[in-house]
Each structure stands twice: as C-alpha cells, then as structure tokens.
Amino acid sequence: MIHELKTAPVYFNRSWSGEKLFEVRRNDRHFQKGDGIILMEWDGEKYTGSQILGSITYVLSGFDAIDGQYVVFGFRISKKRVVEV
C-alpha cells in the first residue's frame, strides 16, 4: 500500500533535510512496516509540488504514551522530487 500524506512546510522541510525521519499520524490508514509513503508539502492552501517518496521501516503503536488512534512510524527516504502542480 502507498499512503499519500499532506505535510506542513515546517515538518516537510525537516524531513527533506533528513533531520526528521518519523511521522506521528492518526492510524486511520492502518500503516504497516513496508508500506510506501509520499509526503506532499501542503502550504495550507495548495500543494507546492515538493514530494518525498519512501517506505515505512518501523511502526510504534499501542504504547501507553500514544493514544490508541495514533501511531509513530519511522521511514526511509528513497527519492525527493518536485513535480509541477
């Protein structure tokens, strides 16, 4: 499965630089290790065209400090690209 995810610029830029290689998300998509992700930068009004493609390497769920509706997942970047929007 491939998950397309809107990402605010402040978080997107940290992932783009390689500083932040995890996401905290509502688990309404049932994220699994090995799933693909496309992080798409969303400026609050539109997509900017910047995208990060990667794959989920680890999923943390069911931990006492995390509400059962959320997960934290780690990911590996496979490609960064800018597409025309």
Side-chain angles (χ1 to χ4, degrees), residues 5-83:
L5 304 168
K6 280 184 189 175
T7 309
V10 64
Y11 305 115
F12 184 88
N13 291 331
R14 288 189 171 99
S15 293
W16 185 277
S17 74
E19 177 184 358
K20 185 181 86 63
L21 297 177
F22 66 91
E23 287 288 311
V24 178
R25 297 283 178 153
R26 181 178 294 278
N27 198 19
D28 56 352
R29 300 168 184 247
H30 307 290
F31 297 102
Q32 300 289 319
K33 181 179 177 179
D35 285 356
I37 59 166
I38 303 173
L39 300 180
M40 301 178 300
E41 186 178 28
W42 174 259
D43 70 7
E45 296 181 17
K46 63 185 179 338
Y47 291 105
T48 67
S50 295
Q51 299 180 348
I52 297 170
L53 288 66
S55 58
I56 296 175
T57 58
Y58 186 82
V59 178
L60 176 63
S61 63
F63 185 65
D64 290 342
I66 302 172
D67 178 312
Q69 296 179 27
Y70 291 85
V71 297
V72 177
F73 65 79
F75 64 91
R76 174 180 301 117
I77 295 173
S78 58
K79 184 178 184 178
K80 298 183 241 181
R81 65 184 181 189
V82 179
V83 297

